[in-house]
Amino acid sequence: MLVLLPPSEGKAAPGRGAPLKGEALSLPGLAPARAAVLDELVELCSADEDKAREVLGLSEGLRGEVAKNAALRTAGTRPAGEIYTGVLYDALGLGTLDAAAKRRAASSLLIFSGLWGAVRVSDRIPSYRCSMGVKLPGLGALGAHWRGPMAAVMPEAAGRGLVLDLRSSAYAAAWQPKGELAGRTATVRVLHARVDERTGEEKRSVVSHFNKATKGRIVRDLLTSGAAPKTPAGLVGALRDLGHTVEAEEPARAGRTWRIDVVVTEVH
């Protein structure tokens, strides 16, 4: 099983480890595309702070992120699983997993990134600020920049098993599964079910902020249980066995992904 995750805007402080070694990152086929983004991002943030803030969509209070990006080549690194923070990663709790679950996380989790394309949780990277929605002056929109390189490496990364896609739409723009691979890919939506006090009817709504926490808990449950579903249908069964309320919609035709709804009655 391969689990695709979004990154987080919030990131841990720079690490004390050795500086970035781009050649050591997973998915080496992405190396040229990574180098191109890194080169332009460092140049942009080293030359004009105000322009960099505008391009990156940073408020005045986040001005320090520009200096952080300018120093990416010399900054200390940490495993990506420690760099990314925020709601999903708090719920996932990588640092509190047991040894077996950590091994599963290292082999099955892939975090998409505007700067790196995608990295494993064990890949050592510096803290940075560059979302997939950024449009760099030279390279253009990062979602488009990554489509070709990601299309070349993702089928091999996915292998022959299940792909669980938990990315947000901005990061899904960088790669979409095609053909047979799409048929064994499941995307997840989190729905909040509540009873209307006036009518007594159940109403459902898509949650945004809290959907991240639910997705983090789903991944943690799969990792800690050792569940290893091989198909979207198997994933539905595994999640139900783990206590989640799940509804599934099979693809209407070949080349489309499964859609799985996880229904929650509380959002937290």
Side-chain angles (χ1 to χ4, degrees), residues 118-135:
V119 292
R120 301 282 187 183
V121 295
S122 57
D123 285 333
R124 298 191 68 92
I125 57 173
S127 185
Y128 68 97
R129 190 67 171 243
C130 184
S131 70
M132 190 66 79
V134 164
K135 184 176 182 179

Side-chain angles (χ1 to χ4, degrees), residues 144-266:
H145 170 75
W146 284 113
R147 281 184 202 129
M150 295 301 296
V153 303
M154 283 302 298
E156 181 179 355
R160 302 298 302 171
L162 168 70
V163 177
L164 173 55
D165 189 354
L166 302 179
R167 298 171 297 164
S168 58
S169 58
Y171 291 88
W175 177 73
Q176 286 291 326
K178 305 293 183 182
E180 179 272 337
L181 177 53
R184 50 188 168 89
T185 298
T187 61
V188 171
R189 183 174 64 167
V190 180
L191 299 179
H192 179 210
R194 59 184 179 83
V195 176
D196 187 296
E197 295 181 357
R198 184 175 60 85
T199 64
E201 296 179 351
E202 182 183 85
K203 293 189 174 182
R204 294 181 176 183
S205 58
V206 178
V207 296
S208 54
H209 176 76
F210 295 103
N211 108 89
K212 298 176 183 177
T214 300
K215 289 178 178 179
R217 286 191 285 269
I218 287 171
V219 177
R220 184 180 179 88
D221 287 347
L222 290 169
L223 293 174
T224 56
S225 69
K230 300 183 185 303
T231 64
L235 174 66
V236 172
L239 290 177
R240 287 173 176 163
D241 289 344
L242 291 167
H244 297 281
T245 300
V246 178
E247 298 173 356
E249 182 179 318
E250 296 186 35
R253 59 179 183 270
R256 296 295 182 90
T257 62
W258 282 60
R259 190 178 77 183
I260 294 176
D261 289 339
V262 177
V263 183
V264 299
T265 55
E266 298 180 0

Side-chain angles (χ1 to χ4, degrees), residues 8-16 20 38 41 64-80 82-85 115-116 124-130:
S8 59
E9 289 293 333
K11 297 177 182 67
R16 296 181 179 180
L20 175 71
L38 180 63
L41 185 62
E65 299 294 287
V66 176
K68 181 192 292 185
N69 283 347
L72 282 172
R73 289 196 179 91
T74 57
T77 59
R78 304 170 74 166
E82 297 177 12
I83 287 288
Y84 295 110
T85 60
L115 175 53
W116 314 114
R124 298 191 68 92
I125 57 173
S127 185
Y128 68 97
R129 190 67 171 243
C130 184

